């Protein structure tokens, strides 16, 4: 296939409820969408998971946009590829910027699957038609609000609850949640809010039988996490620290974690995500799909990735209605009473993109095509 054009769009999408982590509060998303168009006019969609500021990672919207426009898109446009798996190497001259690369590559994966007339999840080699879902619940204004939110999501059927923790919202909150919900599958995500000086806190948290501590220490660390993992019984799960298949291999060799959260954008797209999944599977290390408050397009990509064999734990992929008044795909993502999402049977992402709504939400647009 020949990638004839890449169209970038930035949309604004207000969240139904703010989402707060140890690094800050988000009330509205700015999202870059990518549309890849081939020589026959077929299209595929991708979503850049960079945030509104460089806080989760060093990538963010206003850095990703010119990186894609000036460097990444021109490396891909006009090129003939045997498949989407070749797109990653076309962009190899650019270091980092994995979320920006992923958005472009993933659009090509959707495009290729549509050209072949097969669902993307099948094209990726997925095996699990139904994926297990959990929810990520941010820091709330009060403990009571957190308990009410957990109550609601447990009743909706979600298979595990993740709460965000930070200094001042940790031990007491976990204790409170455990008192109220003694048997749920529960975990805590610190988004790098702690250091090894806080080791006593994590030892104290062991008693609450959390499924895992997600990214407790520095965002790029795999050394201190190994020390922490030696000293606690709860599995450590790495999110921010795993940016590539090599990072995954190194972290597993060092014993820095027992679980990995795979985020499609953070690791650079489906090709790299499949490598991470494979490394973890070969090392008997479970993975699950993380979320970045994606719109329907990123969400649909997450569903496809989650069908790969190594994704054996419930992910952070949940219903569109938890985030958006109206999602940009049709139908929106819905979750069964058992806390699962069924992989779609339509070609590509398997959802219809609501172009009229996207048009309405667009703040800027740029189309990169071959100069002829
Ligand atoms: O650390 O997993 C994280 C959202 C934004 C940035 C980082 C994280 C998250 C989430 C939300 O936990 C997951 C979701 O519901 O999309
Ligand atoms: Mg996380």
């Amino acid at each position: 296939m020949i990638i004839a054009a890449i169209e970038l769009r930035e949309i604004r999408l207000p969240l139904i409820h703010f989402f707060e982590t140890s690094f800050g509060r988000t009330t509205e998303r700015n999202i870059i969408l990518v549309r890849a168009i081939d020589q026959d006019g077929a299209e595929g969609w991708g979503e850049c998971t960079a945030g509104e500021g460089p806080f989760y990672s060093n990538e963010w919207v206003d850095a990703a946009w010119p990186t894609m426009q000036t460097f990444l898109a021109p490396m891909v446009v006009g090129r003939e590829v045997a498949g989407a798996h070749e797109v990653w190497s076309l962009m190899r001259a650019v270091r980092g910027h994995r979320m920006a690369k992923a958005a472009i590559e993933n659009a090509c994966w959707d495009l290729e699957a549509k050209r072949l007339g097969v669902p993307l999840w099948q094209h990726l080699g997925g095996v699990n038609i139904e994926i297990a879902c959990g929810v990520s619940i941010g820091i709330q204004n009060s403990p009571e609000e957190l308990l009410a939110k957990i109550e609601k999501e447990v009743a909706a059927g979600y298979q595990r609850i993740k709460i965000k923790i930070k200094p001042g919202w940790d031990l007491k909150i976990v204790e409170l949640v455990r008192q109220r919900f003694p048997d749920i599958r529960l975990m805590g995500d610190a988004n790098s809010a702690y250091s090894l000086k806080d080791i006593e806190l994590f030892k104290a948290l062991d008693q609450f039988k959390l499924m895992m501590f997600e990214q407790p220490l520095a965002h790029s660390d795999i050394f201190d996490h190994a020390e922490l993992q030696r000293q606690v019984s709860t599995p450590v799960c790495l999110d921010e620290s795993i940016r590539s298949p090599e990072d995954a291999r190194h972290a597993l060799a060092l014993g820095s974690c027992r679980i990995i959260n795979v985020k499609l954008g953070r690791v650079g797209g489906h090709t790299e995500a499949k490598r991470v999944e494979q490394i973890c599977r070969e090392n008997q290390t479970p993975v699950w799909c993380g979320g970045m408050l994606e719109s329907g397009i990123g969400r649909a990509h997450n569903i496809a990735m989650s069908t790969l064999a190594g994704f054996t734990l419930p992910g952070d992929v949940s219903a569109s209605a938890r985030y958006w008044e109206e999602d940009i795909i049709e139908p929106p993502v819905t979750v069964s009473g058992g806390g699962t999402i069924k992989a779609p049977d339509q070609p590509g992402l398997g959802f219809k993109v609501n172009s009229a709504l996207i048009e309405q939400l667009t703040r800027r647009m740029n189309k990169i095509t071959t100069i002829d």
Side-chain angles (χ1 to χ4, degrees), residues 170-189:
D170 46 34
L171 194 60
K172 280 202 177 119
I173 293 291
V174 172
E175 184 176 16
L176 187 69
V177 172
R178 256 302 176 233
Q179 273 170 3
R180 180 75 79 84
F181 305 94
D183 302 319
I184 60 169
R185 296 218 271 174
L186 182 66
M187 57 177 285
D189 185 1

Side-chain angles (χ1 to χ4, degrees), residues 56 162 164 189 191 214-215 239-240 261 263 288:
Y56 166 80
K162 157 169 145 184
K164 292 290 189 176
D189 185 1
N191 290 104
E214 183 178 348
Q215 196 69 36
D239 172 352
E240 283 89 330
N261 161 341
K263 285 186 182 165
W288 54 277

Side-chain angles (χ1 to χ4, degrees), residues 10-202:
E10 185 184 332
I11 62 164
R12 290 287 152 92
L13 210 51
L15 285 162
I16 285 177
H17 188 271
F18 68 80
F19 189 81
E20 187 171 322
T21 68
S22 63
F23 60 79
R25 184 179 278 200
T26 309
T27 54
E28 185 183 54
R29 291 296 331 279
N30 290 0
I31 299 171
I32 303 174
L33 298 177
V34 174
R35 190 162 71 103
I37 303 141
D38 73 359
Q39 72 274 26
D40 306 316
E43 64 175 40
W45 288 85
E47 172 170 343
C48 181
T49 61
E52 290 67 36
F55 305 117
Y56 166 80
S57 92
N58 53 5
E59 291 193 78
W60 69 294
V61 173
D62 283 5
W65 183 280
T67 305
M68 293 161 96
Q69 178 178 294
T70 309
F71 298 104
L72 298 174
M75 287 170 176
V76 175
V77 165
R79 300 295 296 267
E80 178 158 15
V81 287
H85 64 281
E86 289 186 352
V87 173
W88 172 256
S89 56
L90 294 178
M91 300 184 286
R92 78 180 146 226
V94 171
R95 293 183 180 170
H97 294 280
R98 286 177 177 258
M99 293 176 180
K101 290 179 177 177
I104 291 176
E105 191 201 288
N106 293 347
C108 297
W109 276 101
D110 177 32
L111 168 61
E112 184 182 30
K114 284 201 176 96
R115 282 174 62 96
L116 295 169
V118 298
L120 175 60
W121 67 269
Q122 270 177 24
H123 186 46
L124 290 169
V127 292
N128 304 312
I129 297 175
E130 257 183 62
I131 67 161
C133 308
V135 290
S136 173
I137 304 181
I139 293 159
Q140 305 297 316
N141 287 327
S142 68
E144 294 69 36
E145 280 167 64
L146 177 65
L147 291 173
K149 282 220 143 70
I150 297 174
E151 184 97 59
K152 181 174 165 214
E153 305 298 6
V154 168
Y158 284 103
Q159 297 185 17
R160 71 98 171 101
I161 301 291
K162 157 169 145 184
I163 63 170
K164 292 290 189 176
I165 56 169
K166 67 170 183 182
W169 185 275
D170 46 34
L171 194 60
K172 280 202 177 119
I173 293 291
V174 172
E175 184 176 16
L176 187 69
V177 172
R178 256 302 176 233
Q179 273 170 3
R180 180 75 79 84
F181 305 94
D183 302 319
I184 60 169
R185 296 218 271 174
L186 182 66
M187 57 177 285
D189 185 1
N191 290 104
S192 299
Y194 300 94
S195 74
L196 274 183
K197 291 194 190 106
D198 302 301
I199 198 133
E200 292 309 319
L201 168 75
F202 292 98

Side-chain angles (χ1 to χ4, degrees), residues 288-335:
W288 54 277
C289 176
M292 291 293 288
L293 312 174
E294 286 93 343
S295 80
I297 290 172
R299 202 164 291 280
H301 275 288
N302 285 342
I303 293 169
M305 179 180 75
S306 301
T307 65
L308 297 174
F311 286 76
T312 54
L313 294 172
D316 275 346
V317 188
S318 58
S320 299
R322 294 188 60 247
Y323 305 83
W324 322 115
E325 212 65 70
E326 187 182 4
D327 203 342
I328 60 171
I329 55 163
E330 286 166 337
V333 173
T334 54
V335 170

Side-chain angles (χ1 to χ4, degrees), residues 237-238 242 248 252 257-262 276 280 285-288:
C237 168
L238 290 177
I242 307 299
L252 297 184
C257 62
R258 293 191 192 135
I259 300 172
I260 286 179
N261 161 341
V262 183
V276 173
C280 291
T285 300
V287 302
W288 54 277

